[in-house]
Amino acid sequence: MNLRESFDVPAPAIVLAEGEFGKTGGKTSNGVVMHSEVFDTRAVVDSTTAGESSADVLRRPDAPEIPIVESVTDALETAPEAEVLVIGVAPAGGELPEAWISGIEDAVRAGCDVVSGLHTFLGDEEHWTELAADHDARLFDVRKPPEGDALRVGDGSVDEVEADVVLTLGTDCAVGKRTTTFELYKAAREARLNAGWVATGQTGLMVGAHDGVVIDRVPADFTAGVVEDLVKSVAEDHDFVFVEGQASLTHRAYSGVTLSILHGAWPDAVVLADEPERTQRTHFKQFLVEGVESEADLIEELSEAEVAAISTWGDPEVERERHGLPAVNVYEAGGPADLLSAVRETLEAAAPSSTTGGSQ
């Protein structure tokens, strides 16, 4: 899915982040507000933070100043020019909360398209499809997986890609893989490199990846093949392809999808995202985080890629000394450019004759 193709970007949008704006559960809303190249957020709906500063809620001084309001009705009054309602929270259980229904209906009646990250697909329900048709609105269910001929097992055809492929993996979930991928892509564009990126989660699709799919909805046997096709698609028009990873190879709950992404992307270099102070896995306190060395060893054992650098939440100098790898905090000024430099050094060392792409 490439949402860029469906909108006159950046499309003015309302982001529904009820109860979760600025929190981990609102990471899709947070990412859309901070980074989206598809949607220009004009109002955020979250009754728990209404009236506060978006920079304060996101704890990011560089966050855009966007009104936070109580309801979708208030958002439509604040931003009557909005063309899209982005549902940026996936509630526990994945169902559409009853309290949200009337607000989403109001947005559709106002002619807004709806981009949904819910596990429930609005486009499969007659109520929503009829309402959208009556008001010339469109429904986008970004979690909906590819079907039929779009599903295949991996066959190694990604080996023929001429672009340099860089994959971001991590030592755990929620360590900044999507943010790191986007910041690398943005730094490459600022350096006038012909770069594109692949999303494997809903936030990346809404931020504006050049292609992607919510990979945890793809049947296991076909995950590597789907990732291969995404990388090949983006590589057709770009010299560098940055790929968002998921989870970690040492995570007992989610390692299967991580390995499928690694094998499907078959990268030339890997950036490893890490939160150095984390010892227990997010949502799985019974599992310990194995750490950078274990993760890097597995990546290099299970692929032909080299771990080029660490994207850390900690002190880069401390992490460089601890692990013997370039370490960068992408939230610091100049961090993304420094991380890109480390990646390019690894790529150039692997293929000295190539400086713009084509190391495979």
Side-chain angles (χ1 to χ4, degrees), residues 323-344:
H323 302 297
L325 285 168
V328 175
N329 188 326
V330 296
Y331 294 106
E332 294 180 350
D338 291 343
L339 187 59
L340 178 64
S341 293
V343 168
R344 295 190 73 188

Side-chain angles (χ1 to χ4, degrees), residues 97-119:
E98 187 76 22
W100 294 5
I101 291 176
S102 63
I104 299 171
E105 290 174 337
D106 287 345
V108 174
R109 292 190 184 101
C112 289
D113 298 327
V114 179
V115 176
S116 171
L118 295 170
H119 292 272

Side-chain angles (χ1 to χ4, degrees), residues 237-253:
D237 300 315
H238 300 92
D239 296 324
F240 289 85
V241 180
F242 297 98
V243 183
E244 173 196 18
Q246 297 291 329
S248 79
L249 289 171
T250 57
H251 199 311
R252 288 172 59 184

Side-chain angles (χ1 to χ4, degrees), residues 47-121:
S47 61
T48 65
T49 59
E52 296 184 38
S53 160
S54 52
D56 289 344
V57 173
L58 293 172
R59 296 178 294 281
R60 293 285 300 272
D62 58 335
E65 276 302 330
I66 297 167
I68 307 173
V69 298
E70 291 266 354
S71 67
V72 174
T73 300
D74 292 338
L76 290 167
E77 293 176 357
T78 300
E81 73 280 9
E83 299 173 1
V84 189
L85 175 70
V86 176
I87 302 177
V89 178
E95 299 296 323
L96 174 60
E98 187 76 22
W100 294 5
I101 291 176
S102 63
I104 299 171
E105 290 174 337
D106 287 345
V108 174
R109 292 190 184 101
C112 289
D113 298 327
V114 179
V115 176
S116 171
L118 295 170
H119 292 272
T120 298
F121 300 145

Side-chain angles (χ1 to χ4, degrees), residues 254-320:
Y254 300 128
S255 59
V257 72
T258 311
L259 182 59
S260 292
I261 294 172
L262 176 63
H263 283 172
W266 203 244
D268 300 292
V270 170
V271 172
L272 189 58
D274 178 54
E275 161 50 290
E277 300 303 317
R278 188 178 302 174
T279 58
Q280 297 171 302
R281 296 199 180 277
T282 300
H283 303 307
F284 292 87
K285 301 302 183 185
Q286 69 272 32
F287 297 150
L288 298 180
V289 175
E290 297 291 336
V292 168
E293 282 75 15
S294 295
E295 203 72 34
D297 287 346
L298 280 172
I299 289 166
E300 294 182 353
E301 181 178 348
L302 294 168
S303 73
E304 295 179 356
E306 180 178 345
V307 176
I310 302 167
S311 174
T312 181
W313 290 19
D315 184 325
E317 290 188 13
V318 171
E319 299 309 306
R320 278 194 289 270

